Amino acid sequence: LNNSCILNSSNVFSSDGCSGKDAKKRELVFPLLMRNNCDFFSFKDSSFAIQKDRESTARVQLWKEFSLINCFTLEISFCGPDFGKYEYFHFTYDMLKELADSFCYSILDMNDPDQSKVKQTMEEIEQNIIKGIDKRDENVQKVSNNQE
């Protein structure tokens, strides 16, 4: 996982766009686990497209060279989130520690031998694709539409 801080809008979100066509649903698992583990991670602000100006970044090059599925940039706004318990607060040191804890818990969830949270997340992705999508997770629908 590749992390960087970019100051451009509110919230915490991820950029990916580095998965092949066979992994369109699997690329959603880690960001959805982050959403479940962190009250102020914004899945709806996450991007799953490769932008032309990002093709030379290490994240995209690692994906191309090694076929990595989970290669993300975690972007954090200086402004803070615009939803949840910290709505309209600037990020503080304690909030960033909470984010780091959530990030580590999400890594643990991804690699848990039990895989129950990953399976539950995959089922959520499937259900949202089948029945449509709510506003909070509209990116699940975008990725599934690109798979076809």
mmCIF file of all heavy atoms in Angstrom, residues 12 31-43 74 81 83-86 91 95-103 105-106 136:
data_model
loop_
_atom_site.group_PDB
_atom_site.id
_atom_site.type_symbol
_atom_site.label_atom_id
_atom_site.label_comp_id
_atom_site.label_asym_id
_atom_site.label_seq_id
_atom_site.Cartn_x
_atom_site.Cartn_y
_atom_site.Cartn_z
ATOM 1 N N VAL A 12 -10.948 12.024 3.970
ATOM 2 C CA VAL A 12 -9.863 11.078 3.738
ATOM 3 C C VAL A 12 -10.410 10.095 2.732
ATOM 4 O O VAL A 12 -11.519 9.588 2.889
ATOM 5 C CB VAL A 12 -9.493 10.317 5.035
ATOM 6 C CG1 VAL A 12 -8.414 9.301 4.769
ATOM 7 C CG2 VAL A 12 -9.066 11.277 6.126
ATOM 8 N N PRO A 31 -10.685 -0.385 0.472
ATOM 9 C CA PRO A 31 -11.353 0.894 0.796
ATOM 10 C C PRO A 31 -12.657 0.710 1.580
ATOM 11 O O PRO A 31 -12.965 1.521 2.449
ATOM 12 C CB PRO A 31 -11.613 1.524 -0.576
ATOM 13 C CG PRO A 31 -10.586 0.924 -1.470
ATOM 14 C CD PRO A 31 -10.385 -0.478 -0.961
ATOM 15 N N LEU A 32 -13.402 -0.358 1.298
ATOM 16 C CA LEU A 32 -14.621 -0.595 2.070
ATOM 17 C C LEU A 32 -14.298 -1.016 3.500
ATOM 18 O O LEU A 32 -14.996 -0.628 4.438
ATOM 19 C CB LEU A 32 -15.497 -1.646 1.386
ATOM 20 C CG LEU A 32 -16.261 -1.134 0.171
ATOM 21 C CD1 LEU A 32 -16.885 -2.289 -0.603
ATOM 22 C CD2 LEU A 32 -17.315 -0.123 0.570
ATOM 23 N N LEU A 33 -13.241 -1.788 3.693
ATOM 24 C CA LEU A 33 -12.809 -2.112 5.053
ATOM 25 C C LEU A 33 -12.381 -0.847 5.789
ATOM 26 O O LEU A 33 -12.683 -0.683 6.972
ATOM 27 C CB LEU A 33 -11.669 -3.135 5.032
ATOM 28 C CG LEU A 33 -12.053 -4.558 4.628
ATOM 29 C CD1 LEU A 33 -10.800 -5.416 4.439
ATOM 30 C CD2 LEU A 33 -12.990 -5.186 5.639
ATOM 31 N N MET A 34 -11.701 0.056 5.091
ATOM 32 C CA MET A 34 -11.321 1.336 5.704
ATOM 33 C C MET A 34 -12.568 2.119 6.102
ATOM 34 O O MET A 34 -12.629 2.689 7.180
ATOM 35 C CB MET A 34 -10.479 2.184 4.749
ATOM 36 C CG MET A 34 -9.019 1.867 4.744
ATOM 37 S SD MET A 34 -8.196 2.276 6.290
ATOM 38 C CE MET A 34 -8.330 4.055 6.337
ATOM 39 N N ARG A 35 -13.559 2.132 5.231
ATOM 40 C CA ARG A 35 -14.816 2.826 5.554
ATOM 41 C C ARG A 35 -15.453 2.232 6.807
ATOM 42 O O ARG A 35 -15.949 2.945 7.661
ATOM 43 C CB ARG A 35 -15.789 2.725 4.379
ATOM 44 C CG ARG A 35 -17.115 3.423 4.652
ATOM 45 C CD ARG A 35 -18.278 2.850 3.924
ATOM 46 N NE ARG A 35 -18.507 1.451 4.287
ATOM 47 C CZ ARG A 35 -19.295 0.640 3.602
ATOM 48 N NH1 ARG A 35 -19.916 1.069 2.526
ATOM 49 N NH2 ARG A 35 -19.461 -0.608 3.979
ATOM 50 N N ASN A 36 -15.398 0.904 6.927
ATOM 51 C CA ASN A 36 -15.997 0.234 8.084
ATOM 52 C C ASN A 36 -15.194 0.461 9.359
ATOM 53 O O ASN A 36 -15.763 0.470 10.448
ATOM 54 C CB ASN A 36 -16.136 -1.259 7.824
ATOM 55 C CG ASN A 36 -17.113 -1.564 6.712
ATOM 56 O OD1 ASN A 36 -17.931 -0.737 6.348
ATOM 57 N ND2 ASN A 36 -17.009 -2.749 6.147
ATOM 58 N N ASN A 37 -13.895 0.638 9.244
ATOM 59 C CA ASN A 37 -13.017 0.783 10.418
ATOM 60 C C ASN A 37 -12.769 2.234 10.818
ATOM 61 O O ASN A 37 -12.298 2.488 11.923
ATOM 62 C CB ASN A 37 -11.671 0.105 10.164
ATOM 63 C CG ASN A 37 -11.788 -1.399 10.157
ATOM 64 O OD1 ASN A 37 -12.613 -1.969 10.864
ATOM 65 N ND2 ASN A 37 -10.967 -2.055 9.363
ATOM 66 N N CYS A 38 -13.056 3.170 9.943
ATOM 67 C CA CYS A 38 -12.747 4.579 10.209
ATOM 68 C C CYS A 38 -13.989 5.431 9.967
ATOM 69 O O CYS A 38 -14.514 5.467 8.849
ATOM 70 C CB CYS A 38 -11.601 5.038 9.300
ATOM 71 S SG CYS A 38 -11.102 6.737 9.588
ATOM 72 N N ASP A 39 -14.425 6.132 11.003
ATOM 73 C CA ASP A 39 -15.641 6.934 10.911
ATOM 74 C C ASP A 39 -15.540 8.094 9.929
ATOM 75 O O ASP A 39 -16.558 8.637 9.521
ATOM 76 C CB ASP A 39 -16.013 7.497 12.288
ATOM 77 C CG ASP A 39 -16.442 6.418 13.248
ATOM 78 O OD1 ASP A 39 -16.935 5.372 12.799
ATOM 79 O OD2 ASP A 39 -16.283 6.627 14.468
ATOM 80 N N PHE A 40 -14.338 8.478 9.551
ATOM 81 C CA PHE A 40 -14.220 9.639 8.671
ATOM 82 C C PHE A 40 -13.486 9.331 7.366
ATOM 83 O O PHE A 40 -13.047 10.233 6.665
ATOM 84 C CB PHE A 40 -13.571 10.835 9.401
ATOM 85 C CG PHE A 40 -12.282 10.518 10.113
ATOM 86 C CD1 PHE A 40 -11.067 10.642 9.473
ATOM 87 C CD2 PHE A 40 -12.300 10.119 11.443
ATOM 88 C CE1 PHE A 40 -9.895 10.351 10.135
ATOM 89 C CE2 PHE A 40 -11.141 9.837 12.116
ATOM 90 C CZ PHE A 40 -9.913 9.948 11.457
ATOM 91 N N PHE A 41 -13.384 8.065 6.999
ATOM 92 C CA PHE A 41 -12.874 7.692 5.676
ATOM 93 C C PHE A 41 -14.032 7.767 4.699
ATOM 94 O O PHE A 41 -15.102 7.221 4.928
ATOM 95 C CB PHE A 41 -12.291 6.278 5.687
ATOM 96 C CG PHE A 41 -11.785 5.840 4.338
ATOM 97 C CD1 PHE A 41 -10.518 6.201 3.929
ATOM 98 C CD2 PHE A 41 -12.591 5.113 3.484
ATOM 99 C CE1 PHE A 41 -10.054 5.821 2.678
ATOM 100 C CE2 PHE A 41 -12.137 4.724 2.233
ATOM 101 C CZ PHE A 41 -10.870 5.074 1.833
ATOM 102 N N SER A 42 -13.832 8.451 3.592
ATOM 103 C CA SER A 42 -14.894 8.658 2.620
ATOM 104 C C SER A 42 -14.711 7.734 1.422
ATOM 105 O O SER A 42 -13.898 8.003 0.534
ATOM 106 C CB SER A 42 -14.904 10.116 2.150
ATOM 107 O OG SER A 42 -15.875 10.282 1.143
ATOM 108 N N PHE A 43 -15.487 6.651 1.406
ATOM 109 C CA PHE A 43 -15.430 5.748 0.253
ATOM 110 C C PHE A 43 -15.976 6.433 -0.990
ATOM 111 O O PHE A 43 -15.461 6.254 -2.085
ATOM 112 C CB PHE A 43 -16.216 4.467 0.546
ATOM 113 C CG PHE A 43 -16.176 3.495 -0.587
ATOM 114 C CD1 PHE A 43 -15.087 2.660 -0.748
ATOM 115 C CD2 PHE A 43 -17.205 3.432 -1.500
ATOM 116 C CE1 PHE A 43 -15.034 1.771 -1.792
ATOM 117 C CE2 PHE A 43 -17.163 2.540 -2.553
ATOM 118 C CZ PHE A 43 -16.077 1.707 -2.699
ATOM 119 N N LEU A 74 -3.400 7.033 -0.093
ATOM 120 C CA LEU A 74 -4.341 7.524 0.913
ATOM 121 C C LEU A 74 -4.182 9.032 0.981
ATOM 122 O O LEU A 74 -3.122 9.528 1.339
ATOM 123 C CB LEU A 74 -4.053 6.881 2.275
ATOM 124 C CG LEU A 74 -4.997 7.230 3.411
ATOM 125 C CD1 LEU A 74 -6.408 6.744 3.089
ATOM 126 C CD2 LEU A 74 -4.499 6.613 4.702
ATOM 127 N N PRO A 81 -12.856 16.236 7.679
ATOM 128 C CA PRO A 81 -14.008 15.625 7.022
ATOM 129 C C PRO A 81 -15.228 16.549 7.002
ATOM 130 O O PRO A 81 -15.337 17.459 7.812
ATOM 131 C CB PRO A 81 -14.289 14.395 7.895
ATOM 132 C CG PRO A 81 -13.710 14.721 9.218
ATOM 133 C CD PRO A 81 -12.559 15.647 8.977
ATOM 134 N N PHE A 83 -18.318 15.082 7.120
ATOM 135 C CA PHE A 83 -19.385 14.206 7.608
ATOM 136 C C PHE A 83 -18.880 13.492 8.861
ATOM 137 O O PHE A 83 -17.697 13.537 9.185
ATOM 138 C CB PHE A 83 -19.783 13.165 6.539
ATOM 139 C CG PHE A 83 -18.691 12.179 6.250
ATOM 140 C CD1 PHE A 83 -18.656 10.949 6.891
ATOM 141 C CD2 PHE A 83 -17.687 12.482 5.350
ATOM 142 C CE1 PHE A 83 -17.640 10.051 6.640
ATOM 143 C CE2 PHE A 83 -16.669 11.583 5.089
ATOM 144 C CZ PHE A 83 -16.641 10.355 5.741
ATOM 145 N N GLY A 84 -19.799 12.847 9.549
ATOM 146 C CA GLY A 84 -19.429 12.034 10.705
ATOM 147 C C GLY A 84 -19.160 12.831 11.969
ATOM 148 O O GLY A 84 -19.448 14.025 12.061
ATOM 149 N N LYS A 85 -18.575 12.152 12.950
ATOM 150 C CA LYS A 85 -18.396 12.761 14.267
ATOM 151 C C LYS A 85 -17.415 13.927 14.273
ATOM 152 O O LYS A 85 -17.442 14.749 15.178
ATOM 153 C CB LYS A 85 -17.992 11.714 15.296
ATOM 154 C CG LYS A 85 -16.612 11.105 15.084
ATOM 155 C CD LYS A 85 -16.320 10.057 16.149
ATOM 156 C CE LYS A 85 -14.949 9.461 15.991
ATOM 157 N NZ LYS A 85 -14.674 8.432 16.979
ATOM 158 N N TYR A 86 -16.541 14.019 13.274
ATOM 159 C CA TYR A 86 -15.568 15.123 13.199
ATOM 160 C C TYR A 86 -15.931 16.128 12.101
ATOM 161 O O TYR A 86 -15.075 16.862 11.627
ATOM 162 C CB TYR A 86 -14.161 14.589 12.947
ATOM 163 C CG TYR A 86 -13.647 13.679 14.024
ATOM 164 C CD1 TYR A 86 -13.226 12.398 13.731
ATOM 165 C CD2 TYR A 86 -13.566 14.107 15.350
ATOM 166 C CE1 TYR A 86 -12.740 11.558 14.723
ATOM 167 C CE2 TYR A 86 -13.085 13.275 16.342
ATOM 168 C CZ TYR A 86 -12.672 12.002 16.016
ATOM 169 O OH TYR A 86 -12.192 11.173 16.992
ATOM 170 N N PHE A 91 -8.251 18.285 10.857
ATOM 171 C CA PHE A 91 -7.645 17.069 11.396
ATOM 172 C C PHE A 91 -6.650 17.430 12.486
ATOM 173 O O PHE A 91 -5.875 18.364 12.358
ATOM 174 C CB PHE A 91 -6.935 16.275 10.297
ATOM 175 C CG PHE A 91 -7.884 15.509 9.420
ATOM 176 C CD1 PHE A 91 -8.046 15.864 8.094
ATOM 177 C CD2 PHE A 91 -8.602 14.438 9.923
ATOM 178 C CE1 PHE A 91 -8.919 15.160 7.282
ATOM 179 C CE2 PHE A 91 -9.488 13.734 9.117
ATOM 180 C CZ PHE A 91 -9.636 14.092 7.792
ATOM 181 N N MET A 95 -6.779 12.587 15.677
ATOM 182 C CA MET A 95 -7.575 12.065 14.570
ATOM 183 C C MET A 95 -6.685 11.297 13.592
ATOM 184 O O MET A 95 -7.084 10.242 13.077
ATOM 185 C CB MET A 95 -8.312 13.205 13.860
ATOM 186 C CG MET A 95 -9.407 13.820 14.713
ATOM 187 S SD MET A 95 -9.988 15.420 14.087
ATOM 188 C CE MET A 95 -10.807 14.941 12.595
ATOM 189 N N LEU A 96 -5.486 11.796 13.336
ATOM 190 C CA LEU A 96 -4.562 11.106 12.436
ATOM 191 C C LEU A 96 -4.097 9.779 13.048
ATOM 192 O O LEU A 96 -3.922 8.786 12.333
ATOM 193 C CB LEU A 96 -3.371 11.998 12.088
ATOM 194 C CG LEU A 96 -3.738 13.253 11.291
ATOM 195 C CD1 LEU A 96 -2.508 14.133 11.079
ATOM 196 C CD2 LEU A 96 -4.379 12.901 9.960
ATOM 197 N N LYS A 97 -3.923 9.761 14.366
ATOM 198 C CA LYS A 97 -3.601 8.496 15.034
ATOM 199 C C LYS A 97 -4.759 7.510 14.886
ATOM 200 O O LYS A 97 -4.541 6.321 14.646
ATOM 201 C CB LYS A 97 -3.284 8.742 16.511
ATOM 202 C CG LYS A 97 -1.879 9.275 16.746
ATOM 203 C CD LYS A 97 -1.573 9.586 18.194
ATOM 204 C CE LYS A 97 -2.000 8.526 19.154
ATOM 205 N NZ LYS A 97 -1.683 8.821 20.553
ATOM 206 N N GLU A 98 -5.971 8.003 15.022
ATOM 207 C CA GLU A 98 -7.147 7.151 14.845
ATOM 208 C C GLU A 98 -7.202 6.601 13.414
ATOM 209 O O GLU A 98 -7.513 5.426 13.195
ATOM 210 C CB GLU A 98 -8.418 7.952 15.162
ATOM 211 C CG GLU A 98 -9.696 7.162 15.088
ATOM 212 C CD GLU A 98 -10.918 7.989 15.444
ATOM 213 O OE1 GLU A 98 -10.803 8.983 16.189
ATOM 214 O OE2 GLU A 98 -12.009 7.621 14.972
ATOM 215 N N LEU A 99 -6.879 7.454 12.447
ATOM 216 C CA LEU A 99 -6.833 7.020 11.053
ATOM 217 C C LEU A 99 -5.769 5.936 10.863
ATOM 218 O O LEU A 99 -6.013 4.920 10.204
ATOM 219 C CB LEU A 99 -6.542 8.210 10.137
ATOM 220 C CG LEU A 99 -6.334 7.885 8.666
ATOM 221 C CD1 LEU A 99 -7.608 7.322 8.048
ATOM 222 C CD2 LEU A 99 -5.864 9.118 7.923
ATOM 223 N N ALA A 100 -4.597 6.126 11.458
ATOM 224 C CA ALA A 100 -3.521 5.137 11.347
ATOM 225 C C ALA A 100 -3.947 3.806 11.965
ATOM 226 O O ALA A 100 -3.677 2.738 11.401
ATOM 227 C CB ALA A 100 -2.253 5.665 12.009
ATOM 228 N N ASP A 101 -4.612 3.866 13.113
ATOM 229 C CA ASP A 101 -5.125 2.642 13.740
ATOM 230 C C ASP A 101 -6.109 1.937 12.808
ATOM 231 O O ASP A 101 -6.042 0.716 12.617
ATOM 232 C CB ASP A 101 -5.822 2.952 15.062
ATOM 233 C CG ASP A 101 -4.869 3.348 16.176
ATOM 234 O OD1 ASP A 101 -3.644 3.123 16.037
ATOM 235 O OD2 ASP A 101 -5.351 3.882 17.196
ATOM 236 N N SER A 102 -7.022 2.699 12.217
ATOM 237 C CA SER A 102 -8.012 2.128 11.304
ATOM 238 C C SER A 102 -7.345 1.513 10.082
ATOM 239 O O SER A 102 -7.767 0.455 9.598
ATOM 240 C CB SER A 102 -9.004 3.203 10.855
ATOM 241 O OG SER A 102 -9.692 3.733 11.949
ATOM 242 N N PHE A 103 -6.309 2.169 9.597
ATOM 243 C CA PHE A 103 -5.552 1.660 8.453
ATOM 244 C C PHE A 103 -4.939 0.304 8.806
ATOM 245 O O PHE A 103 -5.044 -0.669 8.042
ATOM 246 C CB PHE A 103 -4.473 2.683 8.075
ATOM 247 C CG PHE A 103 -3.666 2.311 6.882
ATOM 248 C CD1 PHE A 103 -4.155 2.512 5.604
ATOM 249 C CD2 PHE A 103 -2.394 1.782 7.021
ATOM 250 C CE1 PHE A 103 -3.401 2.173 4.493
ATOM 251 C CE2 PHE A 103 -1.632 1.443 5.926
ATOM 252 C CZ PHE A 103 -2.140 1.635 4.658
ATOM 253 N N TYR A 105 -5.897 -1.775 11.232
ATOM 254 C CA TYR A 105 -6.976 -2.747 11.415
ATOM 255 C C TYR A 105 -7.480 -3.255 10.055
ATOM 256 O O TYR A 105 -7.798 -4.440 9.910
ATOM 257 C CB TYR A 105 -8.137 -2.167 12.218
ATOM 258 C CG TYR A 105 -7.846 -2.003 13.682
ATOM 259 C CD1 TYR A 105 -8.047 -0.789 14.316
ATOM 260 C CD2 TYR A 105 -7.360 -3.070 14.440
ATOM 261 C CE1 TYR A 105 -7.772 -0.636 15.672
ATOM 262 C CE2 TYR A 105 -7.084 -2.927 15.789
ATOM 263 C CZ TYR A 105 -7.284 -1.707 16.399
ATOM 264 O OH TYR A 105 -7.006 -1.557 17.731
ATOM 265 N N SER A 106 -7.535 -2.374 9.079
ATOM 266 C CA SER A 106 -7.979 -2.784 7.747
ATOM 267 C C SER A 106 -6.983 -3.743 7.102
ATOM 268 O O SER A 106 -7.377 -4.707 6.439
ATOM 269 C CB SER A 106 -8.191 -1.554 6.854
ATOM 270 O OG SER A 106 -9.196 -0.734 7.405
ATOM 271 N N ARG A 136 -23.904 6.715 -0.550
ATOM 272 C CA ARG A 136 -22.631 6.624 0.164
ATOM 273 C C ARG A 136 -21.609 5.800 -0.604
ATOM 274 O O ARG A 136 -20.417 6.042 -0.537
ATOM 275 C CB ARG A 136 -22.867 6.009 1.549
ATOM 276 C CG ARG A 136 -21.632 5.962 2.388
ATOM 277 C CD ARG A 136 -21.944 5.510 3.780
ATOM 278 N NE ARG A 136 -20.731 5.460 4.556
ATOM 279 C CZ ARG A 136 -20.534 4.711 5.590
ATOM 280 N NH1 ARG A 136 -21.500 3.934 6.013
ATOM 281 N NH2 ARG A 136 -19.406 4.711 6.235
#
